[in-house]
């Protein structure tokens, strides 16, 4: 099998449909966000959703036939929540796809590599022990530092154990994830009992704390770090062939891998800081995308971002309507969906094998 066939796979012809596929997914994302704003314990007609949104964006001449309560629900509560969900879903899907390429392990994702656990530990320390001494930036900053620290620990442990093979980094990640999760549990145990219930709900994942004044952080991380990952799609294609082949193609494999780890730590830290731990998105979405378009990362990365955004917004709709008026933790929904997906995937691969 040639290197070209390995990278592009048997679905290379789909490149001609790529622009239409991107447009279709963007329209699907807009429709899903609109549905996320419309559905809930208090249903709001889609016509009102669009009118309220456009009025806040400065469009004049609209008939204000909605109540102040609906205006507040749409603009202050549900729209920032849906936009946060889209940015978090896109970020986690990009991280999963990138890590799977540089480790050449299809099970790699921010959770299994310990990045999510490190980010969670940093956020728990702020919420229960230090307080917001730097203002709103405190939680995202500590979450990023925790994610970056866990990434460095994974690399250090892999080198200490002489696990130089990139695919074995995931074993170090699992070990670090267990350690950091235990430290997070210890921090909760030692924290203020009156605040621990909030942290536990946050650790299960959710978008209920979304606010306009905080959206800039995950969105900035997505556009800057996600842009870097998409820009380097050709390097990811080279990395899937192995370090020696990547070096032959002009990619410094070790340096690029470490850079990707730092970028993924920043993306994961920004995501975890505002949504808690949401599992399986980074693991499941890249698999779904590769099943449709093949292994070329010039297609996998942007499509994973769009599919991840759609998936998480849709999962949040389910979380809000399944037991109204309460919100089910989002991590439960994504965990159930991811578990079922991989059971089906294992059965399919078993039949193929």
């Amino acid at each position: 099998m040639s290197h070209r066939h390995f990278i592009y796979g048997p679905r290379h012809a789909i490149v001609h449909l790529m622009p239409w596929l991107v447009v279709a997914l963007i329209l699907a994302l807009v429709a899903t966000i609109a549905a996320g704003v419309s559905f809930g314990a208090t249903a709001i007609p889609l016509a009102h959703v669009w009118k309220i949104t456009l009025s806040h964006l400065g469009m004049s001449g609209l008939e204000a036939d909605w109540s102040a309560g609906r205006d507040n629900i749409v603009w202050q509560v549900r729209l920032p929540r849906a936009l946060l969900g889209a940015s978090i879903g896109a970020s986690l899907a990009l991280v999963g796809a990138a890590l799977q390429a540089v480790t050449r392990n299809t099970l790699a994702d921010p959770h299994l590599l310990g990045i999510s656990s490190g980010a969670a530990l940093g956020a728990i320390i702020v919420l229960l022990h230090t307080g917001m001494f730097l203002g709103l930036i405190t939680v995202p900053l500590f979450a990023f530092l925790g994610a970056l620290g866990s990434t460095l620990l994974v690399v250090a442990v892999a080198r200490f154990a002489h696990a130089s093979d990139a695919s074995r980094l995931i074993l170090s990640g699992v070990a670090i994830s267990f350690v950091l999760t235990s430290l997070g549990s210890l921090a909760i145990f030692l924290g203020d009992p009156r605040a621990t219930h909030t942290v536990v709900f946050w650790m299960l994942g959710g978008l209920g704390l979304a606010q306009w004044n905080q959206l800039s952080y995950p969105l900035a991380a997505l556009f800057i770090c996600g842009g870097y990952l998409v820009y380097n799609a050709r390097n990811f294609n080279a990395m899937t062939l192995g370090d020696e082949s990547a070096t032959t193609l002009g990619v410094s494999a070790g340096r690029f891998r470490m850079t990707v780890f730092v970028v993924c730590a920043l993306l994961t830290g920004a995501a975890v800081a505002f949504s808690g731990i949401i599992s399986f998105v980074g693991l499941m979405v890249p698999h779904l995308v590769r099943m449709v378009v093949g292994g070329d990362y010039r297609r996998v990365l942007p499509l994973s971002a769009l599919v991840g955004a759609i998936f998480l917004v849709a999962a949040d709709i389910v979380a809000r309507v399944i037991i109204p008026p309460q919100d089910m933790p989002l991590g439960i929904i994504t965990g159930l969906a991811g578990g079922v997906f991989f059971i089906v995937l294992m059965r399919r691969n078993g039949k193929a094998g």
Side-chain angles (χ1 to χ4, degrees):
M1 180 182 294
S2 68
H3 286 178
R4 181 179 178 85
H5 182 76
F6 177 83
I7 295 176
Y8 296 101
R11 302 174 182 85
H12 181 56
I14 203 169
V15 69
H16 301 294
L17 301 176
M18 183 69 177
W20 295 105
L21 186 56
V22 170
V23 171
L25 287 175
I26 291 175
L27 293 176
L29 176 59
V30 172
T32 307
I33 291 175
V37 178
S38 176
F39 295 159
T42 301
I44 298 176
L46 282 173
H48 284 179
V49 170
W50 288 110
K51 286 182 179 180
I52 293 171
T53 302
L54 292 174
S55 68
H56 279 278
L57 293 177
M59 180 174 289
S60 58
L62 296 172
E63 180 185 358
D65 55 350
W66 59 87
S67 66
R70 285 188 171 183
D71 186 283
N72 184 68
I73 291 173
V74 169
W75 187 253
Q76 297 296 338
V77 179
R78 292 186 185 172
L79 186 56
R81 177 173 181 147
L83 294 176
L84 177 63
S87 65
I88 298 300
S91 297
L92 294 177
L94 281 170
V95 170
L99 291 178
Q100 288 165 17
V102 296
T103 62
R104 297 192 302 280
N105 192 315
T106 56
L107 293 179
D109 85 329
H111 186 64
L112 290 180
L113 278 176
I115 301 177
S116 291
S117 300
L121 177 60
I124 289 170
I125 291 173
V126 172
L127 294 172
L128 292 181
H129 297 279
T130 67
M132 309 283 281
F133 63 94
L134 296 177
L136 293 176
I137 193 64
T138 312
V139 172
L141 177 61
F142 271 66
F144 166 64
L145 292 176
L148 182 60
S150 65
T151 301
L152 296 177
L153 277 175
V154 169
V155 175
V157 169
R159 290 180 176 177
F160 175 78
H162 302 292
S164 57
D165 187 353
S167 64
R168 295 185 63 189
L169 280 172
I170 194 169
L171 299 177
S172 302
V174 170
I176 294 300
S177 179
F178 279 123
V179 172
L180 294 178
T181 299
S182 298
L183 291 177
S185 300
L186 177 62
I188 293 175
F189 177 75
L190 296 176
D192 186 352
R194 294 170 296 180
T196 54
H197 70 281
T198 303
V199 176
V200 169
F201 182 84
W202 176 84
M203 287 184 67
L204 296 175
L207 305 173
L209 301 179
Q211 300 177 25
W212 282 113
N213 59 359
Q214 297 179 352
L215 271 179
S216 58
Y217 299 114
L219 287 175
L222 174 60
F223 283 111
I224 296 173
C225 299
Y228 172 84
L229 296 178
V230 173
Y231 179 78
N232 285 277
R234 291 181 181 274
N235 290 344
F236 284 110
N237 282 339
M239 292 293 289
T240 60
L241 300 174
D243 288 7
E244 292 184 2
S245 297
T247 302
T248 302
L249 295 172
V251 179
S252 178
R255 180 181 302 175
F256 181 67
R257 182 179 296 111
M258 284 303 303
T259 303
V260 169
F261 278 177
V262 174
V263 170
C264 289
L266 177 56
L267 265 177
T268 305
V272 171
F274 295 102
S275 67
I277 298 178
I278 298 177
S279 59
F280 271 111
V281 177
L283 188 61
M284 176 174 57
V285 170
H287 279 278
L288 289 171
V289 172
R290 283 192 292 265
M291 288 169 62
V292 176
V293 302
D296 185 354
Y297 271 78
R298 292 176 298 177
R299 300 192 293 269
V300 170
L301 286 169
L303 293 184
S304 291
L306 288 170
V307 174
I310 294 169
F311 171 76
L312 201 61
V313 175
D316 186 55
I317 294 174
V318 175
R320 287 188 289 114
V321 303
I322 195 169
I323 49 172
Q326 295 182 344
D327 291 354
M328 179 177 289
L330 191 53
I332 295 176
I333 303 296
T334 59
L336 289 173
V340 172
F341 168 78
F342 272 96
I343 290 173
V344 174
L345 184 64
M346 285 191 297
R347 178 175 175 82
R348 174 181 175 180
N349 289 344
K351 287 184 176 180

